[in-house]
Amino acid sequence: TSLTEVNSFSPSVPISPSSMINQYKFEDGPELRDLFITVDDPESHITAIETFITYRVVTKTTRGEFDSSEYEVRRRYQDFHWLKSKLEEAHPTLIIPPLPEKFIMKGMVERFSDEFIETRRKALHKFLNRIADHPTLTFNEDFKIFLTAQAWELSSHKKQGPGLLSRMGQTVRAVASSVRGAVRNRPEMFTEMSNYMETFSQKINLLDKIAHRIYKEERDYCNELKEYGPIHTLWSASEEDTAESLKGIASCIDRCCRATEKRMAGLSEHLLPILHEYVLYSEILMGVLKRRDQIQGELDSKVDALANKKTEKDLFLEEIGKLEDKVERASNALKADWDRWKQNMQWDMRSAFTNVAENNLRYYEE
């Protein structure tokens, strides 16, 4: 019941799945975009210390703040991870798109297999384009540097980040804030968001598991068909009266096998990546809500301290005023991003499941 909005459809929506999808559009259409990014051309690098993959990142833009209209750089996974960390640091209550996991992804075994590399390339491509389409993140200076700086320039820029002690301090403060207990003055809206995400996380994880189970069952079924067809062909060689019928069955099994492989390709291409991306999104959203609560908790503790202080009242009032502004900015940023994220999530889910339905229709027709 917490996901009613996701499951509700207007009576006026056309029956055709394709036209249903066309009812939902992003706020920024392609004609309004001024930043286009492509991630392609994976390349292996082997050194005495490590083996890693780099990807070509091509950027085309008409923005005035860029010195050129086109850039081409190579980036490895840890560069993408650095960018995500800088975005989280600069915008703690915005919803930063997820990165694919560093090592093994579900259903993948070999880290440097072609399938794994291609799956990761697509995920990295989506990661950068989601940032490019974001109304705030797209103008982040570290994002611009990531897209335009040569490898040595990026490496130099990375070294300018906060030092170890500064990072430790931030971690200690975050942990200390998180163990203070529930936030007393949390607005009802954010309690509803938290409840929504708990339910969403349970359901999306369940959907992810079911989808992978279906894919595994389809794969096992396809492997059995591959063995079953040749058996009928061999059998036909020793049966004169039924040879043509047996060959016909073998041919039919072969066509079923090819149709099943196409359906599996549709699942792995359109459904599994979307579900897994939103499993990662659910973790990110919970973290964003906690960070907003930490800012709120910091304000609450200052208000409590003021109530117990007889002196330094003006200093405390000034700090409380700054914290109130910080809480308001954090809350407004999350509220705006929440609405945008839900719209995109509903679009992605409708697209993914409609695509699966259409693939199934084609499969059974075949």
Side-chain angles (χ1 to χ4, degrees):
T1 55
S2 301
L3 297 177
T4 306
E5 292 175 59
V6 181
N7 298 322
S8 62
F9 292 92
S10 165
S12 62
V13 173
I15 294 174
S16 164
S18 298
S19 50
M20 180 178 73
I21 287 298
N22 291 332
Q23 292 283 316
Y24 301 91
K25 299 290 184 187
F26 290 121
E27 291 176 6
D28 301 325
E31 67 278 1
L32 301 177
R33 291 181 63 190
D34 54 9
L35 185 64
F36 297 87
I37 304 167
T38 305
V39 179
D40 60 12
D41 190 26
E43 191 176 283
S44 297
H45 300 263
I46 302 173
T47 69
I49 302 173
E50 59 179 340
T51 300
F52 59 93
I53 308 292
T54 63
Y55 300 85
R56 181 174 65 176
V57 179
V58 177
T59 303
K60 296 182 180 181
T61 182
T62 57
R63 291 185 186 174
E65 65 265 28
F66 286 82
D67 297 329
S68 175
S69 61
E70 187 168 342
Y71 295 87
E72 181 178 317
V73 296
R74 295 203 73 86
R75 297 287 182 254
R76 57 185 295 186
Y77 179 85
Q78 66 181 28
D79 298 326
F80 288 86
H81 191 270
W82 168 83
L83 173 62
K84 183 172 184 291
S85 299
K86 295 298 286 185
L87 292 174
E88 287 174 343
E89 183 183 311
H91 309 282
T93 55
L94 289 182
I95 303 166
I96 312 300
L99 274 175
E101 293 93 336
K102 182 165 185 179
F103 292 110
I104 303 302
M105 301 172 75
K106 269 190 179 174
M108 310 284 184
V109 178
E110 175 53 50
R111 182 184 170 196
F112 295 110
S113 69
D114 291 343
E115 189 180 4
F116 175 85
I117 292 170
E118 176 60 12
T119 301
R120 172 172 282 185
R121 183 201 65 76
K122 289 178 181 176
L124 295 176
H125 175 87
K126 181 179 280 189
F127 169 73
L128 291 183
N129 278 278
R130 285 204 187 276
I131 296 171
D133 291 338
H134 193 283
T136 302
L137 300 177
T138 189
F139 297 108
N140 178 275
E141 186 63 23
D142 289 307
F143 181 48
K144 178 185 172 186
I145 290 168
F146 176 91
L147 296 176
T148 61
Q150 293 304 310
W152 65 270
E153 294 175 303
L154 182 64
S155 179
S156 174
H157 182 73
K158 283 182 179 180
K159 293 173 183 174
Q160 298 172 13
L164 176 63
L165 292 177
S166 172
R167 292 198 300 271
M168 286 176 64
Q170 292 169 2
T171 303
V172 169
R173 284 198 299 274
V175 171
S177 178
S178 66
V179 298
R180 284 176 187 152
V183 178
R184 294 192 310 276
N185 299 315
R186 178 203 276 163
E188 181 63 25
M189 171 185 290
F190 298 108
T191 300
E192 290 174 2
M193 284 185 190
S194 183
N195 294 337
Y196 181 97
M197 285 315 303
E198 283 183 15
T199 305
F200 179 84
S201 179
Q202 292 170 5
K203 291 186 180 296
I204 200 69
N205 273 280
L206 182 60
L207 283 170
D208 187 50
K209 289 177 183 175
I210 291 170
H212 276 89
R213 192 171 71 218
I214 290 171
Y215 183 82
K216 180 181 179 300
E217 289 173 355
E218 289 283 306
R219 187 180 60 205
D220 292 344
Y221 171 64
C222 189
N223 289 337
E224 288 184 7
L225 285 179
K226 286 179 179 177
E227 295 178 4
Y228 195 44
I231 288 173
H232 281 76
T233 303
L234 290 172
W235 187 7
S236 68
S238 60
E239 295 285 347
E240 292 184 12
D241 294 341
T242 56
E244 290 305 313
S245 298
L246 291 169
K247 286 178 182 177
I249 292 173
S251 174
C252 179
I253 292 172
D254 183 57
R255 290 200 301 275
C256 287
C257 186
R258 289 199 300 272
T260 303
E261 285 179 331
K262 277 166 51 179
R263 181 158 71 157
M264 287 167 57
L267 287 172
S268 64
E269 180 80 17
H270 301 292
L271 181 64
L272 299 184
I274 290 292
L275 291 178
H276 194 62
E277 181 185 18
Y278 279 95
V279 167
L280 299 177
Y281 256 129
S282 68
E283 297 168 3
I284 288 169
L285 262 296
M286 298 296 270
V288 168
L289 286 163
K290 283 180 182 175
R291 287 196 288 273
R292 198 222 69 89
D293 282 353
Q294 287 166 5
I295 297 171
Q296 178 89 52
E298 198 175 345
L299 172 61
D300 292 346
S301 66
K302 281 292 180 187
V303 172
D304 290 344
L306 175 62
N308 297 327
K309 283 276 185 180
K310 304 295 182 187
T311 58
E312 303 174 358
K313 195 166 186 177
D314 291 341
L315 179 62
F316 266 90
L317 286 172
E318 183 181 347
E319 288 185 18
I320 287 172
K322 290 179 180 177
L323 282 170
E324 285 174 342
D325 290 342
K326 188 177 179 182
V327 169
E328 185 176 2
R329 287 197 302 273
S331 298
N332 289 339
L334 177 52
K335 279 190 283 188
D337 231 18
W338 172 260
D339 292 337
R340 186 178 184 279
W341 176 82
K342 279 182 71 175
Q343 179 186 355
N344 288 355
M345 179 268 289
Q346 291 173 6
W347 163 272
D348 285 340
M349 289 296 161
R350 286 186 177 103
S351 298
F353 282 104
T354 303
N355 189 283
V356 170
E358 290 176 339
N359 278 342
N360 282 347
L361 285 171
R362 284 192 294 269
Y363 169 79
Y364 285 112
E365 283 171 355
E366 287 183 38

